[in-house]
Structure formats: C-alpha cells, structure tokens
Amino acid sequence: MFSIVLVMIIGLLSTGCGSAKSTINVYNWGDYIDPDVLKEFEKEFDVKVNYNTFATNEDMYVSIKKGGTSYDVAFPSDYMIERMIKEDLLEKINKENIPNLDNIEDRFLDLNFDPSNEYSVPYMWGTLGIIYNKNMVDDLVNSWDILWNEKYAGQILMLDSQRDSIAIALKKLDYSMNTRNTKELEEAKEKLIKQKPLVYAYVGDEVKDLMVGEEAAIAVVWSGDAVAMIRENENLDYVIPKEGTNLWFDNMVIPKSGKNKELAEKFINFMNRPEIAAKNTDYIGYSTTNYAALKYLPEDIVNSKVAYPTDEEIGEVEIFKDLEDFLKVYDEIWLEIKAQR
Ligand code: N2P
C-alpha cells in the first residue's frame, strides 16, 4: 500500500514538473543546427526542445505522414514542401508572428513550391556538387564524369539520397532531373548500376568524417557540408559540375500534426534573429537565407564561392519538383540500384 501511494506521489510530482514547461518537438536533418542555439531558445522561452533528426526528405515525410510522434517544426526541402502542401500536411503560418521574416533575402521568398510562403519560412540554401581531395585526384574535376572514372574505384562516395543520386545520372545524360520519361529514367538507372562497383559506399552525414580523414578521394555532397569539410582539411575542394546541378532550399514548416503552433512560430521567428541565424550558420557551414545575419559572419565565409556562389559560379541549375504519382518510378529504380552488389 505504502509503495503504491509513493508511486502515485512521484507520478504526480513528475507530471506536475513536466506540465510547467511547454515542449516543442523539432525535426531536422542531422548536423543541421548549432546545439547552443537550441539551449538559448529553451532558456529564453523557458521551454523544453525535444530534438530529433532525419537523413533524407523521404524519411522525414514518412514519419510525418504516418503520425506517431507529432512534430511542431520540421525542415523539408522545396519539392517535399510542395508535396506536403498538396497532401494537406502543413499548417498555414501566421506571418504576423514572424516579424523576422523581414530579414530574409527576397530571392528566397515566394518560390514556386510555396508561392506566397504561406506554409514555410526559408532556412538554408545550397547546391549539390563534388568534393575531392586534391592530393588523391590528379584529373581535372569539373564534370559528373569523374564519378564513373575507374581509376578511383573504391574511393568514391555517393549520397544515400534518392532524388540527388538519380539527378546526377540524369544530368550526366543531359536529361532533366524532374523527368517523367521512363526511358530516360531506365538509362539513368543503368548508369548508376554500372557505377556501383566503383562506389565505396552510399552515405549520409558520415561523408564528412570519411573525406576529412582522407578515407575516400571523391564524394557527392551538399555545398554546406563541403564548407564544413574544407574548414577541417584544406586538401579538399568543391566543384559544381559543368553539366549543371540541383539548387535546393530548405525551409521551416509547421506540420498539421504538431501540438504547439504558438511555440513553433516563436521558434521560427527566433531562428531568424540576425545574431542567432549567424551563430547557427557559422556552426553548421551551410548558407543562410537571412541577409541580416551576413554581417555577423566571418568574411571568408561570406566571400566563399562554395557557400555563397554567384549565379554565374553556380551555372545551369534545376530545382526539384514534386513528382506526384510518377514518384513510384523513381522509388522502384532507387530500390533496384540499392539492391545491386
Ligand atoms: C545536413 C543536411 C543538409 C540538407 N546534414 C541539405 N538539403
């Protein structure tokens, strides 16, 4: 009897403590935030941030779609935002609660995937490209072709991300990375299957340790990770291949399944305070969409052509579009590629 009462008292005490603090569930890519920024938010707003990570847009989409954990803020990319809007998975954001939206550079607002930013607030942007070790690669790196060069067999890392990897094969074939042509996709599949014996691994965030530790010579990466890697190892360099690449935008959204919209909007606004955006950007290496943050960033970062390339330096780009029902074809192809040994 005594122990039951004790358990009840402890239970009451702990729920009491728990309910005093609101919690916000944040769902972001791995290595994509400065943990101190989360601590600062917790302290200032006297809340608890419950932080979870994902490795790809597809993984994030599946967890939000199937429910289970309800996330208050998530960080999808362009084409996935488009899809989530169509599937009614996102809350409209009340812009009056996000005054720091004024700090976002115009060119990142009102993009096709969310034409009036009703559902998303810009976070980071970047390109897809190739990082390579100048001491391990003696060929000119300016084309996706290097990823098929047998000389580098076993030293090539690909991204474990379906849209990105298929996009590279499509670009190499001079097709659109949003193609709905089955024949073109078959050709892209064959290319990636042919490449498989040269690939050391399909990777996610571990690419950084592998390249910095010089365990591989060439890797497909997103520009911000390249910035972080070059900072650690100056033998590394990043290029955007001449055939063209993907330009991407990651925004913050509020999933409908979230339970704390008010706090979610506070969080999104906080992330766009110039000093906070700068601190966060400097930590992760990615390129901020917040122009007011730029003046707090080190000059070598703001002037870096990896992090902030001009349109000319970026060259020909495509932005991923939601593939709707045709996504099935991409899914099948990706499974086949991954199943190859
Ligand atoms: C960071 C992931 C960046 C996401 N690890 C690129 N869209």
Side-chain angles (χ1 to χ4, degrees), residues 297-309 313:
L297 284 169
E299 237 166 76
D300 58 321
I301 285 285
V302 180
N303 296 327
S304 141
K305 71 175 175 45
V306 181
Y308 298 94
E313 283 160 347

Side-chain angles (χ1 to χ4, degrees), residues 29-32 57 77 205 208 222 225 248 250 286:
W29 300 76
D31 294 350
Y32 214 27
N57 275 300
S77 310
D205 282 327
K208 292 194 281 270
W222 294 301
D225 282 339
W248 54 262
D250 292 342
Y286 275 84

Side-chain angles (χ1 to χ4, degrees), residues 32-51:
Y32 214 27
I33 210 159
D34 177 350
D36 281 349
V37 162
L38 294 178
K39 284 197 202 110
E40 280 181 48
F41 181 76
E42 285 186 322
K43 198 159 159 238
E44 184 174 325
F45 291 84
D46 192 25
V47 294
K48 169 152 178 28
V49 177
N50 210 340
Y51 193 75

